[in-house]
Amino acid sequence: MGPPAFERKILAPGEVARWSARLPRPLVFTNGVFDILHRGHATYLARARALGAALLVAVNGDASARRLGKGPGRPLNALADRLALVAALEPVDAVTWFDEDTPAALIAACRPEVLVKGGDWPVERIVGAREVLARGGAVHSIPFEHQRSTTALLERIEALGRESRASPSPRPRAATRRTPRPASGSRRKGRAARKRARGKARSR
């Protein structure tokens, strides 16, 4: 059994000029780390795809992602896993990666008609915006529709872990010792009669 069909969307950056020429135009380009996929990512990529005929996503390589300073241990998911998850999303037509600090070389090679980033990026700060606009293309900063982030998810997980460690564990129930029940009157009489009988037997 071969790899899933969606993995055929993962394409080597060294051949970007060749394979990007086969993608339908206008081509939409975006990039990001995409460490833990969430609803915000899915919605954002769907909105980006609607701006053109095909969507190319460039993912930060592991070293590139670490240089962004998102926190210790980031990215949590290795590049191969992040590429596969992004490729599995329906709006995405192609996925590649870059090890540099920015995807400027990829943008220059594939020459997209539309350049897109999330709403926290003003157009003038988006890498490649000047070149795309100079060619008559468009640059969009898409507003966030769902306030989600990998950092916020990790902070929530850490908070839940702290709460779990701080709450006292239930103390085990102590074993209850059974108190001997006092003998009833009939039992005491029976024992006394047996004791007298044993005394008579010894005196014979």
Side-chain angles (χ1 to χ4, degrees):
M1 183 181 297
F6 66 78
E7 291 198 7
R8 290 198 292 269
K9 297 180 186 179
I10 303 173
L11 303 168
E15 303 175 4
V16 60
R18 178 181 60 81
W19 55 253
S20 64
R22 300 197 302 264
L23 293 172
R25 299 283 170 156
L27 174 63
V28 182
F29 181 101
T30 192
N31 66 279
V33 177
F34 300 101
D35 194 359
I36 298 179
L37 288 182
H38 49 70
R39 186 180 182 184
H41 288 137
T43 302
Y44 166 77
L45 292 174
R47 300 300 187 202
R49 175 62 175 78
L51 296 172
L55 174 62
L56 166 60
V57 180
V59 178
N60 291 75
D62 292 338
S64 175
R66 284 192 292 270
R67 289 195 297 271
L68 294 175
K70 289 181 174 289
R74 299 285 302 277
L76 296 178
N77 288 306
L79 175 62
D81 295 332
R82 292 183 285 122
L83 289 169
L85 289 173
V86 172
L89 297 175
E90 186 272 335
V92 176
D93 296 281
V95 186
T96 190
W97 67 94
F98 60 99
D99 294 316
E100 300 80 12
D101 290 340
T102 75
L106 286 176
I107 296 171
C110 69
R111 298 174 65 86
E113 287 79 16
V114 183
L115 190 58
V116 175
K117 284 290 285 182
D120 54 343
W121 283 86
V123 170
E124 61 272 13
R125 290 187 56 222
I126 297 176
V127 172
R130 182 185 306 172
E131 292 78 9
V132 171
L133 292 172
R135 294 195 302 269
V139 181
H140 298 273
S141 180
I142 298 180
F144 295 124
E145 296 182 49
H146 304 285
Q147 296 301 318
R148 308 284 191 276
S149 75
T150 298
T151 300
L153 287 172
L154 291 175
E155 289 174 351
R156 183 179 179 191
I157 292 170
E158 290 175 3
L160 290 173
R162 288 193 298 269
E163 290 177 7
S164 176
R165 291 190 296 270
S167 59
S169 57
R171 298 178 64 181
R173 295 178 61 183
T176 55
R177 298 178 62 183
R178 298 183 63 180
T179 304
R181 296 172 62 184
S184 63
S186 58
R187 289 180 181 174
R188 288 196 297 271
K189 291 178 181 178
R191 286 199 295 269
R194 288 193 294 273
K195 188 175 180 181
R196 287 195 298 272
R198 287 195 295 271
K200 291 179 180 178
R202 284 195 295 271
S203 61
R204 290 177 180 175

